Amino acid sequence: MALDQEDGDYDSYVGNTVLTAASTSDGVLGSEQMVDATLVAAAADLVLLEAETLTAHPTRAQAVRVRATARVLTLSNELAPGFALPRRELDALSELLDRWDETSDAGRAHTAHRCAMAVVGQVPSVVRDAVNITLLPTTRMHDEQMFVRCIQIFESLYRQVADRIAQSIIALDSGDTARPLALLGEAANRVRATQGLYRVLTTMPPDAFAVIRAHTNGRSAVQSRPYRQVEDLSAPRPSDGQGPGEAHGMTLQGTLLLREADLGSQPAADIRKVMRELDSAWRAMKRSHWGVTLKTIGRVSGTGGTAGADYLRATAQRALFPLLTTNTPT
Ligand code: HEM
């Protein structure tokens, strides 16, 4: 951040160049698994960061945050199934969550830290190093480090969802319905698991976020490319004059409508169902984002220049596949 404190963008804030370079195949794991390994490494580091803070400052608010981050790590097999962790690594964390009220802050911090360290040990070293050097906050505030890790987790997830939609378009276009069913079902599961991340984000104190915002003007996830890809690959989107404009090209909705008559009625109905599931998970995720935004900054405009919460509320209402929502056969 010393280098681009004044003119940096969202990509540099997230460390996208480094994280993307580190998640190419290492010859053992494919690039999809490496992206999931990045997500897991960021989640484990989030637990380490918060557990260390609980040891130093054992407050109730910090304990709540550690619990939320530990939950995220226990969800990693849903958030990042391509880098599935051995059950034993997560069981100790789930046990801690079950016995949370009977455990002291020191015990909570110790167990959470130990489990997260064990997870970090599973991650390929290139990913671990990339995650270590991409914690580049613009302030000295602890809360910003949590924020950066959350963004990195979401970015990896958006990449995986966009990739699954792109692969589904190609498969569907060649008449294959089995593969898109599996891919889109998995994408929907991933998106559903983001609810755990919003529990972490709701622990962001508004006064702390006000300081972060003052240093991150012009850097906003409205610039996230994989997020935009998810929406652009799903269906043509109307421009609202605030976010990015309409994109053209093949979309999942368009491919389904074009190919539907050849797929057979049951396979086509199954595809429609899984697309609706993905749509509903995506919109639920966006509603949660709107809720967190309202709680944290109220109705002021965003660092990306939109109207802020009101813009997010409007985009959360927009279906990923608008023609499937209105033309759903009963
Ligand atoms: C307390 C936490 C957060 C607040 C207050 C917040 C606030 C906002 C605001 C006001 C916008 C509107 C765009 C702008 O003008 O900047 C926005 C957009 C967006 N934010 Fe967040 N955000 C938070 C956390 C996150 C996180 C962790 C992510 C994960 C990457 C994220 C992803 C996005 C995306 C993808 C958009 C674009 C939405 C769209 O165009 O449909 N946000 N956020």
Side-chain angles (χ1 to χ4, degrees):
M1 283 304 143
L3 294 178
D4 71 351
Q5 184 87 10
E6 301 303 327
D7 59 357
D9 61 9
Y10 176 73
D11 268 331
S12 68
Y13 191 53
V14 183
N16 266 341
T17 313
V18 176
L19 293 177
T20 307
S23 57
T24 48
S25 172
D26 66 353
V28 179
L29 298 179
S31 69
E32 285 185 11
Q33 291 165 303
M34 293 292 271
V35 175
D36 277 352
T38 308
L39 190 157
V40 169
D45 192 71
L46 179 60
V47 174
L48 292 179
L49 171 75
E50 299 303 343
E52 282 161 17
T53 309
L54 182 60
T55 304
H57 305 283
T59 62
R60 194 172 174 277
Q62 187 55 31
V64 168
R65 187 178 287 177
V66 171
R67 182 161 57 172
T69 60
R71 273 220 182 90
V72 168
L73 199 52
T74 62
L75 284 172
S76 62
N77 287 355
E78 282 88 55
L79 287 163
F83 191 76
L85 292 166
R87 222 28 270 177
R88 66 171 188 284
E89 310 292 14
L90 301 181
D91 281 351
L93 214 47
S94 302
E95 237 168 72
L96 169 67
L97 292 171
D98 290 343
R99 303 168 64 90
W100 191 258
D101 291 337
E102 305 134 44
T103 314
S104 66
D105 278 342
R108 292 163 173 170
H110 176 76
T111 308
H113 198 276
R114 187 170 43 79
C115 295
M117 283 301 281
V119 170
V120 169
Q122 304 274 328
V123 174
S125 60
V126 62
V127 171
R128 215 161 47 218
D129 292 345
V131 167
N132 282 340
I133 62 172
T134 53
L135 187 59
L136 300 167
T138 59
T139 69
R140 288 169 176 268
M141 301 183 74
H142 163 85
D143 297 292
E144 189 180 7
Q145 300 187 24
M146 173 275 269
F147 186 58
V148 171
R149 288 304 186 217
C150 286
I151 288 178
Q152 291 174 333
I153 294 170
F154 271 102
E155 276 289 303
S156 298
L157 188 125
Y158 297 153
R159 277 175 74 184
Q160 298 286 33
V161 175
D163 190 56
R164 270 141 195 80
I165 296 177
Q167 289 186 48
S168 297
I169 294 175
I170 296 166
L172 208 55
D173 196 43
S174 64
D176 177 1
T177 50
R179 194 163 157 66
L181 261 187
L183 287 166
L184 297 171
E186 198 224 71
N189 282 342
R190 287 175 186 256
V191 177
R192 267 184 224 114
T194 61
Q195 292 307 326
L197 276 160
Y198 285 105
R199 293 215 190 106
V200 178
L201 285 166
T202 50
T203 66
M204 172 71 82
D207 54 344
F209 200 65
V211 178
I212 298 167
R213 269 168 60 81
H215 288 82
T216 49
N217 200 24
R219 303 174 190 258
S220 163
V222 81
Q223 298 154 9
S224 165
R225 270 185 296 253
Y227 175 85
R228 208 51 65 200
Q229 273 169 355
V230 170
E231 303 218 317
D232 289 346
L233 288 168
S234 295
R237 291 179 320 119
S239 170
D240 53 13
Q242 292 209 56
E246 187 172 336
H248 300 277
M250 254 175 125
T251 64
L252 185 57
Q253 176 184 273
T255 310
L256 174 70
L257 296 177
L258 198 69
R259 291 271 166 200
E260 196 160 26
D262 310 327
L263 299 176
S265 62
Q266 191 54 50
D270 292 344
I271 293 286
R272 274 179 175 259
K273 182 165 174 279
V274 77
M275 283 169 70
R276 280 200 299 271
E277 281 167 14
L278 177 58
D279 185 2
S280 124
W282 188 253
R283 275 193 279 171
M285 181 192 78
K286 290 173 72 161
R287 281 195 302 276
S288 300
H289 179 249
W290 167 65
V292 166
T293 300
L294 209 53
K295 174 176 180 284
T296 316
I297 63 170
R299 289 207 141 81
V300 300
S301 56
T303 50
T306 75
D310 288 345
Y311 163 76
L312 295 172
R313 189 168 68 108
T315 63
Q317 283 165 354
R318 215 175 272 157
L320 258 188
F321 310 110
L323 295 183
L324 302 202
T325 315
T326 46
N327 288 351
T328 306
T330 49

